[in-house]
Structure formats: C-alpha cells, structure tokens
Amino acid sequence: MNSSVSKNYCLATVTTKSFIMGTAVLIDSFLEHNVWFDGDIIVIADVQELEQQEIDILSGFKRVKLVDVSSELRGNVRDLESVNSSLIGKAARFFSLESFNLRGYEKVLFCDSDMLFVGTVEPLFKSERPLLCCGDGAYYQGKNRNKRSFSPCVPKVPSEEISNTFNAGFMLIDQSLITRTIFQSLVDMTTHAYWEDETILHTDQRILNLFFAGQQTIIPAVYNYLLTHQNSINAADPTVLENIKVFHFNGPAKPWLLERSMGAVNDNSLQLRAYIRWHQQYEKLLTKKHLESIAKNLSPN
C-alpha cells in the first residue's frame, strides 16, 4: 500500500448534537471495514453548539479533525428559515457543502452520519471520475426531477428536468471539484432567491444535483443502500442484497432513536438485519472505549 497516497484521502461527515452517536458508529464501522485507509477524518459541525463531552467523543478517534462551518454558509442557512418555513430545523443538512471546501485532498468521501459500513469501498478510490454517487428515490423509480420544484416526474420535457439524480449522503469527490470557486458557487445557492418556494423540501441534495448535473457517475446501490427505498432499489437491481457495503438509515427512524426504529423493523427482515448490525457496531465501539479507559488508568504514566 502506498501510504503517501492514502493519507491524501479524507472521510468527511456532518454531525449535530442529535447525531453524535450516529457519527461515532459511522466512523468506527468505516475504519473497521476499510483497514487500508489512513487518511484524515473530518467532522463538519456548528462547533459552538456542541458540548465538550460531545467533542471528546469525536476526538477519541485517531486522525479526527473537527471543522467548523464557514460563517457565510452558517449565516445563509439560518436566514433561510425566515424565508421558507419548511427549512426550519434543517440548517445542518446544508453543511455537506463544506466537503467542497476541504482543499488539499486528492479525494474526499462524504457520508451522512446515519450510515453503517459493512464492507470496503476501496475499489471506488481507483476511479478517475470526478463525482461518484448512488441514485436517489426518483432514480430507482425510473423518474427524473423537475429543475424548479425538484419533485419526481416521468421523463417528458428534458429541458425542464434533471436526469440520473443522486442521493447526497454518499459522494466520492475528486480534487478537481474541490475548489474555492465551486464552493462559493454552492454557498451562493443557499440564498433567498433559490428557496422562496415552500413546497421544496430537499436541501443540499437539490443544490448538488442542480450544480453537478451531468458530472455525476451513478454507482451501484450497494454503496448507499437507502432503507426507505428498499422496494424500488430491489426492483431495479435484484442482486443488490447479495453485496451491500453501506446501509443508509435515511428517514426519521434512526437506529439510536429506539421509539422510531422499533416501528421500522416490525415486518421487514432487511430493516431488522440492518438495525441489528448498527447496534452490534455500537456495542463493539462501547467495548473498545471501555478497554481504552481501563488501559489508560492502569498506565504508570
């Protein structure tokens, strides 16, 4: 392994107070299944909102760097809540745009914090394509999205639609897209003019699909298995279940929210399997932290 190259890679995610446990499990599962990786781990957050205990949890992982959201992006998304009530409480969803401000890396893998790695993604890093990502719900249903509303639509008027739309929760970004100019262009799209229509419910995903339309390469759903779109994904690719690499707990039923996740697994065996895997990873993480604490207390230094 050429460590000088892999150190120039980066895993990035976004966290908030309510996502700390998800972030910790994401990082731990990624490192367990991607032992080849020795790059940085960037956690993007509105740092002033985190308590010291939460920062300590993240700092417990080697090579983790906490990156504060840029003041312009933070200010823009907070202002949007006064313009569009549907965006209230969704400010952090725009913070993924900061991935395009992480200059100095050859490749940045951005992942939502509600994901669980169960396999390696190393082969993806050999690609020379600028943006690798997996389809969203509309993509797996064979639909496009309207450029204005971003609503799914049956392909009909290409000039008014975006095709091959992707879920923004998993993106492998090449350094050619990580520039000051591109980042500023993305931040500019978080201003009032783009969000006056309160029927628009998508956030960062809408911006990224509009901006990078035609530049994305859609990769198999095994790298971002959207649990709320299970039926559509399985219908589009019946072999996907044999080789899932990453589970994405998109939707409100996060594994660490027991009252919601209990309902999600009632009659769905795959959902049950995914949630069990998440809690198994969480248990392993707790055990490792416990043993590290014991070792530290026993150390003569």
Side-chain angles (χ1 to χ4, degrees), residues 83-280:
V83 175
N84 189 330
S85 61
S86 69
L87 299 177
I88 294 176
K90 299 179 180 180
R93 298 187 185 183
F94 290 94
F95 294 171
S96 66
L97 302 182
E98 287 285 348
S99 300
F100 296 87
N101 197 30
L102 299 176
R103 292 183 291 277
Y105 295 107
E106 183 180 342
K107 291 183 183 294
V108 171
L109 175 61
F110 175 82
C111 294
D112 280 350
S113 275
D114 55 355
M115 304 181 95
L116 175 74
F117 281 78
V118 294
T120 184
V121 294
E122 183 178 10
L124 299 181
F125 282 76
K126 299 175 183 178
S127 173
E128 297 181 356
R129 301 294 181 89
L131 182 63
L132 301 185
C133 39
C134 298
D136 64 358
Y139 173 86
Y140 295 117
Q141 295 167 11
K143 296 181 178 180
N144 290 343
R145 287 189 180 273
N146 180 272
K147 289 181 179 180
R148 186 192 63 80
S149 67
F150 205 62
S151 298
C153 57
V154 176
K156 186 176 181 181
V157 186
S159 62
E160 299 177 3
E161 301 165 2
I162 312 173
S163 60
N164 294 325
T165 51
F166 58 91
N167 178 269
F170 183 101
M171 301 180 291
L172 184 57
I173 309 163
D174 182 76
Q175 61 185 346
S176 62
L177 300 182
I178 306 173
T179 69
R180 186 179 302 277
T181 300
I182 288 178
F183 176 63
Q184 186 59 55
S185 296
L186 295 173
V187 172
D188 290 344
M189 293 177 72
T190 63
T191 51
H192 293 183
Y194 291 89
W195 300 95
E196 294 177 347
D197 184 349
E198 295 195 9
T199 65
I200 299 173
L201 302 179
H202 286 79
T203 51
D204 60 329
Q205 189 160 303
R206 174 173 175 258
I207 290 176
L208 293 166
N209 272 277
L210 286 170
F211 190 86
F212 292 111
Q215 299 182 63
Q216 75 274 33
T217 297
I218 303 296
I219 58 177
V222 298
Y223 293 106
N224 182 3
Y225 190 91
L226 302 166
L227 284 164
T228 63
H229 295 295
Q230 178 182 339
N231 292 338
S232 298
I233 293 174
N234 296 350
D237 181 6
T239 68
V240 68
L241 296 178
E242 302 171 8
N243 199 30
I244 294 175
K245 308 294 185 185
V246 187
F247 283 111
H248 189 171
F249 299 89
N250 62 316
K254 308 305 182 189
W256 58 92
L257 301 177
L258 295 183
E259 71 280 7
R260 293 182 178 178
S261 56
M262 288 288 283
V265 303
N266 279 344
D267 60 352
N268 190 312
S269 59
L270 180 63
Q271 295 265 8
L272 175 63
R273 170 185 155 199
Y275 282 82
I276 288 176
R277 289 290 296 269
W278 189 94
H279 282 278
Q280 288 174 334

Side-chain angles (χ1 to χ4, degrees), residues 49-79:
E49 293 188 351
L50 299 180
E51 298 179 9
Q52 187 59 48
Q53 182 180 12
E54 295 161 342
I55 293 175
D56 290 342
I57 290 174
L58 301 174
S59 301
F61 293 96
K62 295 179 180 179
R63 304 191 305 277
V64 163
K65 297 180 180 180
L66 196 59
V67 171
D68 201 4
V69 178
S70 61
S71 58
E72 183 179 4
L73 178 57
R74 181 193 292 114
N76 282 3
V77 297
R78 286 181 175 172
D79 288 345

Side-chain angles (χ1 to χ4, degrees), residues 26-37 116-122 245 277 281 284:
L26 165 73
I27 295 172
D28 193 58
S29 66
F30 174 82
L31 293 175
E32 177 179 325
H33 294 281
N34 292 276
V35 294
W36 57 273
F37 180 89
L116 175 74
F117 281 78
V118 294
T120 184
V121 294
E122 183 178 10
K245 308 294 185 185
R277 289 290 296 269
Q281 192 74 44
K284 286 191 288 185

